[in-house]
Short mmCIF file of all heavy atoms in Angstrom, two decimals:
data_model
loop_
_atom_site.label_atom_id
_atom_site.label_comp_id
_atom_site.label_asym_id
_atom_site.label_seq_id
_atom_site.Cartn_x
_atom_site.Cartn_y
_atom_site.Cartn_z
N GLN A 1 9.96 -3.57 -32.44
CA GLN A 1 8.79 -2.70 -32.35
C GLN A 1 7.97 -3.00 -31.10
O GLN A 1 7.49 -2.10 -30.41
CB GLN A 1 7.91 -2.89 -33.60
CG GLN A 1 8.55 -2.37 -34.89
CD GLN A 1 7.67 -2.65 -36.09
OE1 GLN A 1 6.51 -3.03 -35.95
NE2 GLN A 1 8.23 -2.46 -37.29
N GLY A 2 7.84 -4.30 -30.77
CA GLY A 2 7.10 -4.67 -29.57
C GLY A 2 7.78 -4.16 -28.30
O GLY A 2 7.10 -3.71 -27.36
N TRP A 3 9.13 -4.23 -28.30
CA TRP A 3 9.88 -3.75 -27.12
C TRP A 3 9.71 -2.25 -26.95
O TRP A 3 9.50 -1.76 -25.83
CB TRP A 3 11.35 -4.13 -27.26
CG TRP A 3 12.24 -3.56 -26.20
CD1 TRP A 3 13.14 -2.57 -26.34
CD2 TRP A 3 12.27 -3.97 -24.83
NE1 TRP A 3 13.77 -2.30 -25.14
CE2 TRP A 3 13.25 -3.16 -24.18
CE3 TRP A 3 11.59 -4.92 -24.09
CZ2 TRP A 3 13.55 -3.29 -22.84
CZ3 TRP A 3 11.90 -5.04 -22.74
CH2 TRP A 3 12.86 -4.24 -22.13
N GLU A 4 9.79 -1.53 -28.05
CA GLU A 4 9.62 -0.08 -27.98
C GLU A 4 8.20 0.28 -27.53
O GLU A 4 8.01 1.21 -26.73
CB GLU A 4 9.92 0.56 -29.33
CG GLU A 4 11.39 0.44 -29.74
CD GLU A 4 11.63 0.98 -31.14
OE1 GLU A 4 10.62 1.31 -31.83
OE2 GLU A 4 12.80 1.05 -31.56
N LEU A 5 7.21 -0.45 -28.02
CA LEU A 5 5.84 -0.19 -27.61
C LEU A 5 5.64 -0.48 -26.13
O LEU A 5 4.97 0.29 -25.41
CB LEU A 5 4.88 -1.04 -28.45
CG LEU A 5 3.39 -0.87 -28.17
CD1 LEU A 5 2.95 0.56 -28.45
CD2 LEU A 5 2.57 -1.85 -29.01
N ALA A 6 6.28 -1.56 -25.64
CA ALA A 6 6.16 -1.89 -24.22
C ALA A 6 6.78 -0.81 -23.36
O ALA A 6 6.25 -0.45 -22.30
CB ALA A 6 6.81 -3.24 -23.95
N LEU A 7 7.96 -0.29 -23.79
CA LEU A 7 8.60 0.79 -23.03
C LEU A 7 7.72 2.03 -22.98
O LEU A 7 7.60 2.70 -21.95
CB LEU A 7 9.96 1.13 -23.65
CG LEU A 7 11.08 0.09 -23.43
CD1 LEU A 7 12.35 0.54 -24.14
CD2 LEU A 7 11.35 -0.10 -21.93
N GLN A 8 7.09 2.35 -24.13
CA GLN A 8 6.20 3.52 -24.14
C GLN A 8 5.05 3.34 -23.16
O GLN A 8 4.66 4.26 -22.45
CB GLN A 8 5.67 3.74 -25.56
CG GLN A 8 6.73 4.20 -26.55
CD GLN A 8 6.16 4.35 -27.95
OE1 GLN A 8 4.97 4.22 -28.15
NE2 GLN A 8 7.04 4.63 -28.91
N TRP A 9 4.48 2.12 -23.13
CA TRP A 9 3.37 1.86 -22.23
C TRP A 9 3.81 1.95 -20.76
O TRP A 9 3.09 2.47 -19.92
CB TRP A 9 2.78 0.48 -22.51
CG TRP A 9 1.96 0.44 -23.79
CD1 TRP A 9 1.76 1.48 -24.65
CD2 TRP A 9 1.26 -0.68 -24.31
NE1 TRP A 9 0.98 1.08 -25.69
CE2 TRP A 9 0.64 -0.25 -25.52
CE3 TRP A 9 1.08 -2.00 -23.91
CZ2 TRP A 9 -0.13 -1.10 -26.30
CZ3 TRP A 9 0.30 -2.84 -24.68
CH2 TRP A 9 -0.29 -2.40 -25.86
N LEU A 10 5.00 1.42 -20.48
CA LEU A 10 5.46 1.40 -19.09
C LEU A 10 5.78 2.81 -18.57
O LEU A 10 5.67 3.09 -17.38
CB LEU A 10 6.70 0.51 -18.96
CG LEU A 10 6.45 -1.00 -19.12
CD1 LEU A 10 7.77 -1.75 -19.13
CD2 LEU A 10 5.55 -1.52 -18.00
N LEU A 11 6.19 3.70 -19.46
CA LEU A 11 6.60 5.04 -19.04
C LEU A 11 5.52 6.09 -19.26
O LEU A 11 5.76 7.28 -19.01
CB LEU A 11 7.87 5.45 -19.81
CG LEU A 11 9.10 4.54 -19.61
CD1 LEU A 11 10.26 5.02 -20.46
CD2 LEU A 11 9.50 4.51 -18.14
N SER A 12 4.34 5.66 -19.69
CA SER A 12 3.29 6.63 -20.01
C SER A 12 2.19 6.60 -18.96
O SER A 12 1.65 5.53 -18.65
CB SER A 12 2.69 6.31 -21.39
OG SER A 12 1.55 7.09 -21.62
N PRO A 13 1.84 7.79 -18.35
CA PRO A 13 0.72 7.84 -17.40
C PRO A 13 -0.61 7.41 -18.06
O PRO A 13 -1.45 6.78 -17.42
CB PRO A 13 0.67 9.29 -16.97
CG PRO A 13 2.04 9.82 -17.26
CD PRO A 13 2.52 9.10 -18.47
N ALA A 14 -0.77 7.76 -19.32
CA ALA A 14 -1.99 7.37 -20.01
C ALA A 14 -2.10 5.85 -20.10
O ALA A 14 -3.19 5.26 -19.93
CB ALA A 14 -2.01 7.97 -21.41
N ALA A 15 -0.95 5.19 -20.36
CA ALA A 15 -0.96 3.73 -20.43
C ALA A 15 -1.33 3.12 -19.08
O ALA A 15 -2.12 2.17 -19.00
CB ALA A 15 0.39 3.22 -20.91
N TRP A 16 -0.76 3.68 -17.99
CA TRP A 16 -1.08 3.15 -16.66
C TRP A 16 -2.54 3.35 -16.32
O TRP A 16 -3.18 2.48 -15.69
CB TRP A 16 -0.20 3.82 -15.61
CG TRP A 16 1.18 3.24 -15.56
CD1 TRP A 16 2.32 3.79 -16.04
CD2 TRP A 16 1.53 1.98 -15.01
NE1 TRP A 16 3.40 2.97 -15.83
CE2 TRP A 16 2.94 1.83 -15.19
CE3 TRP A 16 0.82 0.95 -14.39
CZ2 TRP A 16 3.64 0.71 -14.76
CZ3 TRP A 16 1.52 -0.17 -13.96
CH2 TRP A 16 2.91 -0.29 -14.15
N SER A 17 -3.10 4.46 -16.69
CA SER A 17 -4.53 4.67 -16.43
C SER A 17 -5.38 3.69 -17.22
O SER A 17 -6.41 3.20 -16.74
CB SER A 17 -4.91 6.11 -16.80
OG SER A 17 -4.73 6.34 -18.19
N GLN A 18 -4.94 3.38 -18.44
CA GLN A 18 -5.68 2.41 -19.23
C GLN A 18 -5.58 1.01 -18.64
O GLN A 18 -6.55 0.25 -18.62
CB GLN A 18 -5.17 2.43 -20.68
CG GLN A 18 -5.49 3.73 -21.41
CD GLN A 18 -4.88 3.78 -22.80
OE1 GLN A 18 -5.14 2.90 -23.61
NE2 GLN A 18 -4.06 4.79 -23.06
N PHE A 19 -4.36 0.66 -18.15
CA PHE A 19 -4.22 -0.63 -17.44
C PHE A 19 -5.16 -0.69 -16.25
O PHE A 19 -5.80 -1.72 -16.00
CB PHE A 19 -2.77 -0.82 -16.99
CG PHE A 19 -1.86 -1.38 -18.03
CD1 PHE A 19 -0.73 -0.69 -18.44
CD2 PHE A 19 -2.13 -2.60 -18.63
CE1 PHE A 19 0.12 -1.20 -19.40
CE2 PHE A 19 -1.28 -3.13 -19.60
CZ PHE A 19 -0.16 -2.42 -19.99
N ALA A 20 -5.25 0.39 -15.51
CA ALA A 20 -6.13 0.42 -14.34
C ALA A 20 -7.59 0.25 -14.75
O ALA A 20 -8.36 -0.46 -14.09
CB ALA A 20 -5.93 1.74 -13.59
N LEU A 21 -7.98 0.89 -15.86
CA LEU A 21 -9.35 0.73 -16.32
C LEU A 21 -9.64 -0.72 -16.77
O LEU A 21 -10.74 -1.24 -16.54
CB LEU A 21 -9.62 1.68 -17.48
CG LEU A 21 -9.94 3.13 -17.11
CD1 LEU A 21 -10.07 3.98 -18.36
CD2 LEU A 21 -11.25 3.18 -16.32
N LEU A 22 -8.64 -1.36 -17.39
CA LEU A 22 -8.83 -2.76 -17.80
C LEU A 22 -9.05 -3.65 -16.58
O LEU A 22 -9.96 -4.50 -16.57
CB LEU A 22 -7.61 -3.24 -18.59
CG LEU A 22 -7.44 -2.68 -20.00
CD1 LEU A 22 -6.15 -3.19 -20.63
CD2 LEU A 22 -8.63 -3.06 -20.87
N VAL A 23 -8.21 -3.47 -15.55
CA VAL A 23 -8.36 -4.28 -14.34
C VAL A 23 -9.71 -4.00 -13.68
O VAL A 23 -10.42 -4.92 -13.24
CB VAL A 23 -7.20 -3.99 -13.37
CG1 VAL A 23 -7.42 -4.71 -12.04
CG2 VAL A 23 -5.87 -4.41 -13.98
N LEU A 24 -10.10 -2.72 -13.63
CA LEU A 24 -11.37 -2.36 -13.03
C LEU A 24 -12.54 -2.95 -13.82
O LEU A 24 -13.50 -3.46 -13.23
CB LEU A 24 -11.49 -0.83 -12.97
CG LEU A 24 -12.79 -0.28 -12.35
CD1 LEU A 24 -12.90 -0.73 -10.89
CD2 LEU A 24 -12.82 1.24 -12.46
N ALA A 25 -12.45 -2.90 -15.14
CA ALA A 25 -13.52 -3.46 -15.98
C ALA A 25 -13.64 -4.97 -15.76
O ALA A 25 -14.75 -5.51 -15.67
CB ALA A 25 -13.24 -3.15 -17.45
N TRP A 26 -12.49 -5.64 -15.65
CA TRP A 26 -12.53 -7.10 -15.45
C TRP A 26 -13.12 -7.46 -14.09
O TRP A 26 -13.98 -8.36 -14.00
CB TRP A 26 -11.13 -7.67 -15.60
CG TRP A 26 -11.05 -9.14 -15.30
CD1 TRP A 26 -10.45 -9.75 -14.25
CD2 TRP A 26 -11.62 -10.19 -16.10
NE1 TRP A 26 -10.60 -11.10 -14.33
CE2 TRP A 26 -11.33 -11.41 -15.46
CE3 TRP A 26 -12.36 -10.21 -17.28
CZ2 TRP A 26 -11.72 -12.64 -15.97
CZ3 TRP A 26 -12.76 -11.44 -17.78
CH2 TRP A 26 -12.45 -12.62 -17.13
N LEU A 27 -12.70 -6.75 -13.04
CA LEU A 27 -13.22 -7.04 -11.70
C LEU A 27 -14.72 -6.73 -11.62
O LEU A 27 -15.49 -7.50 -11.02
CB LEU A 27 -12.46 -6.24 -10.66
CG LEU A 27 -10.97 -6.61 -10.47
CD1 LEU A 27 -10.32 -5.68 -9.46
CD2 LEU A 27 -10.83 -8.06 -10.03
N LEU A 28 -15.13 -5.62 -12.22
CA LEU A 28 -16.54 -5.27 -12.20
C LEU A 28 -17.37 -6.27 -13.00
O LEU A 28 -18.48 -6.64 -12.58
CB LEU A 28 -16.72 -3.86 -12.77
CG LEU A 28 -18.14 -3.26 -12.68
CD1 LEU A 28 -18.59 -3.19 -11.22
CD2 LEU A 28 -18.16 -1.86 -13.29
N ALA A 29 -16.83 -6.72 -14.12
CA ALA A 29 -17.53 -7.73 -14.93
C ALA A 29 -17.68 -9.04 -14.16
O ALA A 29 -18.74 -9.67 -14.19
CB ALA A 29 -16.79 -7.97 -16.25
#
């Protein structure tokens, strides 16, 4: 289940945008 979830995240534009927001939130913090 974890592998399938990771694949979904890697292939999803929404997931990439969320990763970008996490990095941005951390740097801004």
